[in-house]
Amino acid sequence: MALRLLTHFDVRADVLPSLAAEAGDTGVLETAYESLRVLNIERNGNIIYTYKDNKGNAVFGIYDCQTRQNEHLYTFEKDMQAVSCSVNSERTLLAASFVQYTKEGVRSELHPGSKCLTLLVEIHPVDSVKVLKAVDSCIWVQFLYPHAESHRLQSHLLLISEEKYIERFHIQITREDGNRVVIRNSSHLPRDRIAEDFVWAQWDMSEQRLYYVELEQSKSVLKCIQFWADESFTLMFEMPLDISLSGLRFKFVNFGYDYRQDQEKLCNQPSLCVFTNHTGSLCVCYSPKFDSWEEVTYSVFYLHKGYRKTFTAAPGSAGSHVAKGITFLNLGCLVAVYIPGHFLHLLNIQHPDLTCHSLFLTGSKMAAVLPPSPLQSLPGSLVLDCSSGKVYRATVDQSYLMWFLWNAARLDCDKMAALHCALLCGQDPGFQEDQVIQWICEHASACHSFDLIQELLIASSYWSVYPELADVDKLLAHSSVLAWNEEIPGVMLVTEELPLLLMKVYNLTGYWAKLNSNLEYVKYTKPHLHYHNSVVRREWHSLVSEEKTGKRRSTMYVRNILDNAVKVILNMETRTLEPRLIPLLQEEDRHQRLLVGLLNLTWCMLETIWRKHSAHPWVPRLVYNISWESLPVVLRGTTRDNRVCGSHTTLLSLPSNKHGSAAEFEVFHLMTRILDATNSLCFPLPPGFHSLHTTLGVHCLPLYNLLHYIDNGVLLLTETAVTRLMKDLDNSEKNEKLKFSIVARLPPLLGQKVCRFWDHPMSSNIISRNHVAQLLKDYKKEPRNSMIGKSSFPTEFLPLNCFIEILTGLESSHQALCGFEGQDNVDSEFVEEAALKHTTVLLGL
């Protein structure tokens, strides 16, 4: 299924065994099993639950998610229905609200005429009970939690009333007789009014924030109050929302679950919730009352981006009935919009501009089996199943996304969205990036709207550094696609600009500072800035040019870049303990190292392709996944027992008697696609890529095509590749033609180098010419004192004899003055022999 729910807490499985060990009475367990339910989840993750004992008394307990232990809090010895409960961080005070029912209606034995009773109890140890409220309207309670655990002498309690007001009580405590906690002046607890005349409220227990909506002149205004660690609170913002809340029953979100509400009626009411995450995003999800079951409309206000997107989707086949209302789930960088059995929409809230980055699934593609009961989204990607009392941790199912890519994704928009969802959630344990890479290798040409390899490079590098860098989305590209005009089948979209959120507080920190930074970016960068590689490309070409000409602006600058590249490559080499199957990172490629040093955020991308694909020989067409027998030595980076070869010379050699197989040509084709993608993006390639690519090209392509690739810059003639070509290929007519063509295209310095590895008259001629040019560079003609006598040369050819005599003299002079020695046994005799052979060839003798 697309969404995976991992059980975080099960009220029956985690609580009943503890009750059984304490009670030892099956009657107690039977009663508890039927009445056990979750009331509240506090900021520290502890879960408060209640049940009835065999006497009908209301019992409260707490489950500590850290120690996974249960603790009894309090037993209220009356048959009353608990509505809400909260305990302070020190577990010394408990607040609870009750309603009392009989078959005839509400009982009034506690307070005549009152329906709801709100109590404050000293529970360390259990002592006095104070009545805070006794009213006809329902009350919910919530203690405020400081950011750090401490033994404070003051607690603060929120009371949220169905009569549309919120109060905060200040509770002073003292310690008597050791650790006994007593409320000071319990008859006169100070209080202040936080909010009133609102129609909707949501509590964020993790960040201690209160969101609520007021109706001002028939307009809905969203407000937010932040409670601080120093006991103060601040109204952070006010934001008008163009939404209709008509027909909305007064509703609280995350203040506990109201089991008295008729869920069938709630399905037909407007739905509203606020989601945030640590990057400074602020989303308001809204679904109006359903007027027709033929289509469902829902909106997401991306307040951190300054616009609203309204989606209209068909819930299912004609005549189908939506039995459950719409559900919004906060999954961090994703928001899930879900109607059971109809559709699932995974919205990218970090980059919501383009619809192709959000995944819309319907029918069999949805493959999501979530509980049919009402779900309550909590911070930290937690989900409360209100009827079963289970708390889940919701994640996107990576295995399903990969199945979807392989089997069900037909449209480019589906492939793009599923790829981003998979990479976005790639930080999850167990996620294997090689699964994505395998799919890319099989479908590199499957998309027409964008380049899959480019998208993998950019998106993977972005999401890999996203958790560690602040404001990275403003600096780096997250996608190769900047515009998307195609419609998403099954859903219609309308985008509207919003007035920017105005913060009411300055000197912001933490989340609020990040949100304010997002707002300022939207405000002051129009049109919005997009990353472009022109600066990196220009700097790289400048460095390469300086490298070729020997002119550098700053030795320290280049050294810092190369040192950075060394760190990146070392990190690549130590990233895995698996033996490497591909001969990369084993040669000096200074040009690529310059680029790696400038842009090191994607250092692992291509190395992962070669390393991981080699581990799955059962996939016939993946990169380098070729059986050992059919794999030429050019692709072998290990011996048969998977030990890394120790000699560099074994990694890039060419068989002279076979053509490339279909599998090898597939590897070459994919490497060409990778090269094209990285060139346009100015992304770094691992050193050795060009040598391997060129060697594969020599093995797979006819000469004409090979030279065409070389002349157009697709294949680069590196020193490593050309040297191995000269050494490994024999001097057959076909190979001589190939070598001549290669040497003719080499830069002069590189040509001089590689010719020394080719035992051929042509290479001897080139070496001799270079040797003569070096000797005659500073030669000045001087008068000769004597004529040449009887020739000491083996050949009676006076012009040649005279020339060789001059060279011999120059060699002697250089050796006396500079210690000159001919390189690789190149001297005047070698030049003479080469000259005679060349003349013989020219004369056809």
PDB file of all heavy atoms in Angstrom, residues 692-709:
ATOM      1  N   LEU A 692      36.828   4.879 -19.181  1.00  0.00           N
ATOM      2  CA  LEU A 692      35.978   3.701 -19.336  1.00  0.00           C
ATOM      3  C   LEU A 692      35.010   3.870 -20.501  1.00  0.00           C
ATOM      4  O   LEU A 692      34.798   2.940 -21.292  1.00  0.00           O
ATOM      5  CB  LEU A 692      35.215   3.472 -18.031  1.00  0.00           C
ATOM      6  CG  LEU A 692      34.288   2.256 -17.981  1.00  0.00           C
ATOM      7  CD1 LEU A 692      35.061   0.977 -18.219  1.00  0.00           C
ATOM      8  CD2 LEU A 692      33.565   2.210 -16.652  1.00  0.00           C
ATOM      9  N   HIS A 693      34.434   5.054 -20.640  1.00  0.00           N
ATOM     10  CA  HIS A 693      33.486   5.320 -21.719  1.00  0.00           C
ATOM     11  C   HIS A 693      34.161   5.186 -23.082  1.00  0.00           C
ATOM     12  O   HIS A 693      33.626   4.561 -24.012  1.00  0.00           O
ATOM     13  CB  HIS A 693      32.912   6.721 -21.529  1.00  0.00           C
ATOM     14  CG  HIS A 693      31.753   7.025 -22.416  1.00  0.00           C
ATOM     15  ND1 HIS A 693      31.474   8.304 -22.863  1.00  0.00           N
ATOM     16  CD2 HIS A 693      30.807   6.227 -22.970  1.00  0.00           C
ATOM     17  CE1 HIS A 693      30.400   8.267 -23.617  1.00  0.00           C
ATOM     18  NE2 HIS A 693      29.967   7.021 -23.704  1.00  0.00           N
ATOM     19  N   THR A 694      35.350   5.771 -23.207  1.00  0.00           N
ATOM     20  CA  THR A 694      36.070   5.705 -24.480  1.00  0.00           C
ATOM     21  C   THR A 694      36.482   4.280 -24.807  1.00  0.00           C
ATOM     22  O   THR A 694      36.377   3.826 -25.965  1.00  0.00           O
ATOM     23  CB  THR A 694      37.305   6.622 -24.431  1.00  0.00           C
ATOM     24  OG1 THR A 694      36.880   7.969 -24.212  1.00  0.00           O
ATOM     25  CG2 THR A 694      38.086   6.554 -25.730  1.00  0.00           C
ATOM     26  N   THR A 695      36.959   3.537 -23.818  1.00  0.00           N
ATOM     27  CA  THR A 695      37.369   2.156 -24.059  1.00  0.00           C
ATOM     28  C   THR A 695      36.193   1.312 -24.500  1.00  0.00           C
ATOM     29  O   THR A 695      36.305   0.467 -25.404  1.00  0.00           O
ATOM     30  CB  THR A 695      37.989   1.571 -22.778  1.00  0.00           C
ATOM     31  OG1 THR A 695      38.986   2.462 -22.282  1.00  0.00           O
ATOM     32  CG2 THR A 695      38.625   0.227 -23.058  1.00  0.00           C
ATOM     33  N   LEU A 696      35.040   1.534 -23.882  1.00  0.00           N
ATOM     34  CA  LEU A 696      33.831   0.841 -24.315  1.00  0.00           C
ATOM     35  C   LEU A 696      33.457   1.240 -25.744  1.00  0.00           C
ATOM     36  O   LEU A 696      33.026   0.408 -26.541  1.00  0.00           O
ATOM     37  CB  LEU A 696      32.672   1.163 -23.371  1.00  0.00           C
ATOM     38  CG  LEU A 696      32.382   0.178 -22.252  1.00  0.00           C
ATOM     39  CD1 LEU A 696      31.230   0.697 -21.395  1.00  0.00           C
ATOM     40  CD2 LEU A 696      32.044  -1.192 -22.802  1.00  0.00           C
ATOM     41  N   GLY A 697      33.611   2.532 -26.073  1.00  0.00           N
ATOM     42  CA  GLY A 697      33.302   2.992 -27.421  1.00  0.00           C
ATOM     43  C   GLY A 697      34.169   2.324 -28.466  1.00  0.00           C
ATOM     44  O   GLY A 697      33.692   1.925 -29.539  1.00  0.00           O
ATOM     45  N   VAL A 698      35.474   2.177 -28.165  1.00  0.00           N
ATOM     46  CA  VAL A 698      36.381   1.492 -29.091  1.00  0.00           C
ATOM     47  C   VAL A 698      35.939   0.051 -29.294  1.00  0.00           C
ATOM     48  O   VAL A 698      36.010  -0.499 -30.397  1.00  0.00           O
ATOM     49  CB  VAL A 698      37.822   1.551 -28.543  1.00  0.00           C
ATOM     50  CG1 VAL A 698      38.752   0.670 -29.371  1.00  0.00           C
ATOM     51  CG2 VAL A 698      38.318   2.996 -28.537  1.00  0.00           C
ATOM     52  N   HIS A 699      35.430  -0.551 -28.231  1.00  0.00           N
ATOM     53  CA  HIS A 699      35.051  -1.959 -28.308  1.00  0.00           C
ATOM     54  C   HIS A 699      33.710  -2.161 -29.013  1.00  0.00           C
ATOM     55  O   HIS A 699      33.488  -3.198 -29.629  1.00  0.00           O
ATOM     56  CB  HIS A 699      34.987  -2.527 -26.895  1.00  0.00           C
ATOM     57  CG  HIS A 699      34.803  -4.009 -26.838  1.00  0.00           C
ATOM     58  ND1 HIS A 699      35.693  -4.892 -27.404  1.00  0.00           N
ATOM     59  CD2 HIS A 699      33.826  -4.760 -26.284  1.00  0.00           C
ATOM     60  CE1 HIS A 699      35.280  -6.130 -27.194  1.00  0.00           C
ATOM     61  NE2 HIS A 699      34.145  -6.082 -26.526  1.00  0.00           N
ATOM     62  N   CYS A 700      32.820  -1.183 -28.926  1.00  0.00           N
ATOM     63  CA  CYS A 700      31.453  -1.385 -29.405  1.00  0.00           C
ATOM     64  C   CYS A 700      31.148  -0.730 -30.747  1.00  0.00           C
ATOM     65  O   CYS A 700      30.245  -1.178 -31.456  1.00  0.00           O
ATOM     66  CB  CYS A 700      30.454  -0.845 -28.367  1.00  0.00           C
ATOM     67  SG  CYS A 700      30.469  -1.722 -26.790  1.00  0.00           S
ATOM     68  N   LEU A 701      31.862   0.351 -31.106  1.00  0.00           N
ATOM     69  CA  LEU A 701      31.466   1.140 -32.269  1.00  0.00           C
ATOM     70  C   LEU A 701      32.332   0.851 -33.482  1.00  0.00           C
ATOM     71  O   LEU A 701      33.545   0.611 -33.348  1.00  0.00           O
ATOM     72  CB  LEU A 701      31.555   2.630 -31.949  1.00  0.00           C
ATOM     73  CG  LEU A 701      30.643   3.164 -30.838  1.00  0.00           C
ATOM     74  CD1 LEU A 701      30.914   4.643 -30.618  1.00  0.00           C
ATOM     75  CD2 LEU A 701      29.172   2.945 -31.177  1.00  0.00           C
ATOM     76  N   PRO A 702      31.770   0.917 -34.667  1.00  0.00           N
ATOM     77  CA  PRO A 702      32.585   0.913 -35.892  1.00  0.00           C
ATOM     78  C   PRO A 702      33.470   2.156 -35.915  1.00  0.00           C
ATOM     79  O   PRO A 702      33.156   3.165 -35.268  1.00  0.00           O
ATOM     80  CB  PRO A 702      31.547   0.948 -37.014  1.00  0.00           C
ATOM     81  CG  PRO A 702      30.261   0.528 -36.382  1.00  0.00           C
ATOM     82  CD  PRO A 702      30.332   0.948 -34.952  1.00  0.00           C
ATOM     83  N   LEU A 703      34.554   2.091 -36.685  1.00  0.00           N
ATOM     84  CA  LEU A 703      35.530   3.168 -36.665  1.00  0.00           C
ATOM     85  C   LEU A 703      34.908   4.508 -37.037  1.00  0.00           C
ATOM     86  O   LEU A 703      35.184   5.530 -36.400  1.00  0.00           O
ATOM     87  CB  LEU A 703      36.685   2.840 -37.624  1.00  0.00           C
ATOM     88  CG  LEU A 703      37.783   3.894 -37.710  1.00  0.00           C
ATOM     89  CD1 LEU A 703      38.418   4.123 -36.349  1.00  0.00           C
ATOM     90  CD2 LEU A 703      38.838   3.492 -38.739  1.00  0.00           C
ATOM     91  N   TYR A 704      34.067   4.510 -38.069  1.00  0.00           N
ATOM     92  CA  TYR A 704      33.470   5.772 -38.508  1.00  0.00           C
ATOM     93  C   TYR A 704      32.664   6.406 -37.369  1.00  0.00           C
ATOM     94  O   TYR A 704      32.793   7.602 -37.091  1.00  0.00           O
ATOM     95  CB  TYR A 704      32.580   5.544 -39.722  1.00  0.00           C
ATOM     96  CG  TYR A 704      31.814   6.770 -40.145  1.00  0.00           C
ATOM     97  CD1 TYR A 704      32.420   7.759 -40.918  1.00  0.00           C
ATOM     98  CD2 TYR A 704      30.489   6.961 -39.753  1.00  0.00           C
ATOM     99  CE1 TYR A 704      31.733   8.903 -41.298  1.00  0.00           C
ATOM    100  CE2 TYR A 704      29.784   8.090 -40.115  1.00  0.00           C
ATOM    101  CZ  TYR A 704      30.411   9.069 -40.892  1.00  0.00           C
ATOM    102  OH  TYR A 704      29.732  10.205 -41.249  1.00  0.00           O
ATOM    103  N   ASN A 705      31.826   5.604 -36.714  1.00  0.00           N
ATOM    104  CA  ASN A 705      31.022   6.138 -35.615  1.00  0.00           C
ATOM    105  C   ASN A 705      31.887   6.560 -34.433  1.00  0.00           C
ATOM    106  O   ASN A 705      31.616   7.563 -33.774  1.00  0.00           O
ATOM    107  CB  ASN A 705      30.010   5.085 -35.158  1.00  0.00           C
ATOM    108  CG  ASN A 705      29.038   4.714 -36.255  1.00  0.00           C
ATOM    109  OD1 ASN A 705      29.293   3.777 -36.995  1.00  0.00           O
ATOM    110  ND2 ASN A 705      27.949   5.451 -36.384  1.00  0.00           N
ATOM    111  N   LEU A 706      32.927   5.761 -34.194  1.00  0.00           N
ATOM    112  CA  LEU A 706      33.829   6.093 -33.090  1.00  0.00           C
ATOM    113  C   LEU A 706      34.472   7.463 -33.302  1.00  0.00           C
ATOM    114  O   LEU A 706      34.495   8.306 -32.395  1.00  0.00           O
ATOM    115  CB  LEU A 706      34.894   5.005 -32.961  1.00  0.00           C
ATOM    116  CG  LEU A 706      35.984   5.275 -31.930  1.00  0.00           C
ATOM    117  CD1 LEU A 706      35.420   5.184 -30.518  1.00  0.00           C
ATOM    118  CD2 LEU A 706      37.142   4.287 -32.085  1.00  0.00           C
ATOM    119  N   LEU A 707      34.983   7.688 -34.492  1.00  0.00           N
ATOM    120  CA  LEU A 707      35.627   8.974 -34.779  1.00  0.00           C
ATOM    121  C   LEU A 707      34.611  10.113 -34.751  1.00  0.00           C
ATOM    122  O   LEU A 707      34.925  11.239 -34.340  1.00  0.00           O
ATOM    123  CB  LEU A 707      36.331   8.918 -36.136  1.00  0.00           C
ATOM    124  CG  LEU A 707      37.450   7.871 -36.250  1.00  0.00           C
ATOM    125  CD1 LEU A 707      38.066   7.907 -37.642  1.00  0.00           C
ATOM    126  CD2 LEU A 707      38.512   8.116 -35.176  1.00  0.00           C
ATOM    127  N   HIS A 708      33.382   9.818 -35.179  1.00  0.00           N
ATOM    128  CA  HIS A 708      32.328  10.831 -35.114  1.00  0.00           C
ATOM    129  C   HIS A 708      32.048  11.216 -33.665  1.00  0.00           C
ATOM    130  O   HIS A 708      31.901  12.410 -33.338  1.00  0.00           O
ATOM    131  CB  HIS A 708      31.066  10.281 -35.786  1.00  0.00           C
ATOM    132  CG  HIS A 708      29.920  11.257 -35.787  1.00  0.00           C
ATOM    133  ND1 HIS A 708      29.890  12.375 -36.589  1.00  0.00           N
ATOM    134  CD2 HIS A 708      28.762  11.274 -35.066  1.00  0.00           C
ATOM    135  CE1 HIS A 708      28.770  13.053 -36.372  1.00  0.00           C
ATOM    136  NE2 HIS A 708      28.064  12.395 -35.449  1.00  0.00           N
ATOM    137  N   TYR A 709      31.993  10.246 -32.770  1.00  0.00           N
ATOM    138  CA  TYR A 709      31.783  10.516 -31.349  1.00  0.00           C
ATOM    139  C   TYR A 709      32.945  11.338 -30.777  1.00  0.00           C
ATOM    140  O   TYR A 709      32.743  12.248 -29.973  1.00  0.00           O
ATOM    141  CB  TYR A 709      31.648   9.203 -30.571  1.00  0.00           C
ATOM    142  CG  TYR A 709      30.241   8.647 -30.519  1.00  0.00           C
ATOM    143  CD1 TYR A 709      29.507   8.456 -31.687  1.00  0.00           C
ATOM    144  CD2 TYR A 709      29.658   8.292 -29.312  1.00  0.00           C
ATOM    145  CE1 TYR A 709      28.218   7.929 -31.647  1.00  0.00           C
ATOM    146  CE2 TYR A 709      28.370   7.765 -29.258  1.00  0.00           C
ATOM    147  CZ  TYR A 709      27.657   7.592 -30.434  1.00  0.00           C
ATOM    148  OH  TYR A 709      26.389   7.084 -30.391  1.00  0.00           O
TER     149      TYR A 709
END
